[in-house]
Amino acid sequence: MPTNPDEPYYCSQQINIPPELMDILKQFTKAAIRTQPKDVLAWSAAYFRAMAKGEMPPVKERLEMPTASQKTDTGLTPGLLKVLNKQLGPKKTVALGMIEEKWLDLALPKEQFDDLVRVGSFSGQVEWNRFFSLSASALGDNITDAMKVVCEILTADPEGGPARIPDRKSV
């Protein structure tokens, strides 16, 4: 009911709701719950921008709980790195600006991105597997942890399995 007497009063018969709106909002809500973005508005803009362009949206496959061994100050998680890999992994080389855009769409720390760029000496066009591997190294304390993350992200095996990756996907 309108609070201002000058506002028109609408009933459900007067408002046309597009039939696809319910499904769009349902899928968006599920994606937001799974991804748990730090900045919901910025993430929402990135989500709908990707959907409108027919691109892979910045969405985790499942809700990710922090593990005891995970560094808590990184911002980056295996789930978020998997999202980046789904978005950028199909390309062999990616413009550094595109990686930064996707990174910031996930509300990941700009400082961490800048550190990875500095350490990897990245500029211009970047070999995605190099950036991906270096990012994985930020998720653990040693090379073994980093390789475990890489294998878990790249595997087609079911979760909890051996996390094997085909030779052609080696990094």
Side-chain angles (χ1 to χ4, degrees):
M1 183 139 222
T3 56
N4 181 348
D6 295 333
E7 287 183 33
Y9 183 76
Y10 295 103
C11 65
S12 62
Q13 289 81 15
Q14 293 174 305
I15 300 173
N16 181 26
I17 300 173
E20 64 275 5
L21 182 62
M22 290 295 288
D23 188 50
I24 290 170
L25 292 177
K26 182 178 179 182
Q27 295 306 317
F28 166 75
T29 302
K30 287 179 173 181
I33 291 169
R34 278 194 311 270
T35 305
Q36 298 287 306
K38 291 179 186 173
D39 184 340
V40 177
L41 288 177
W43 177 86
S44 299
Y47 175 88
F48 285 113
R49 187 171 48 251
M51 295 298 285
K53 291 179 179 179
E55 297 174 352
M56 178 70 65
V59 177
K60 289 183 186 177
E61 289 180 0
R62 62 188 48 86
L63 183 61
E64 183 178 29
M65 301 309 242
T67 61
S69 62
Q70 181 179 324
K71 292 180 182 176
T72 56
D73 61 347
T74 65
L76 185 64
T77 64
L80 292 174
L81 185 55
K82 188 170 188 169
V83 169
L84 287 170
N85 190 57
K86 280 184 152 191
Q87 292 178 314
L88 301 169
K91 303 168 184 159
K92 285 201 176 274
T93 59
V94 184
L96 186 59
M98 175 63 74
I99 298 172
E100 182 177 16
E101 177 186 321
K102 301 295 185 187
W103 184 276
L104 296 175
D105 283 348
L106 291 168
L108 291 169
K110 173 85 164 87
E111 301 78 27
Q112 187 180 25
F113 175 80
D114 292 341
D115 287 345
L116 291 169
V117 169
R118 183 182 44 77
V119 169
S121 300
F122 298 121
S123 64
Q125 288 294 114
V126 174
E127 187 180 333
W128 171 249
N129 281 344
R130 284 190 62 223
F131 189 90
F132 171 73
S133 300
L134 186 58
S135 298
S137 74
L139 296 173
D141 294 325
N142 54 50
I143 188 83
T144 305
D145 292 346
M147 289 308 299
K148 183 179 176 192
V149 169
V150 167
C151 289
E152 288 173 352
I153 290 172
L154 295 179
T155 189
D157 291 338
E159 191 173 333
R164 298 168 297 186
I165 58 173
D167 236 3
R168 68 184 184 283
K169 282 193 178 181
S170 297
V171 289

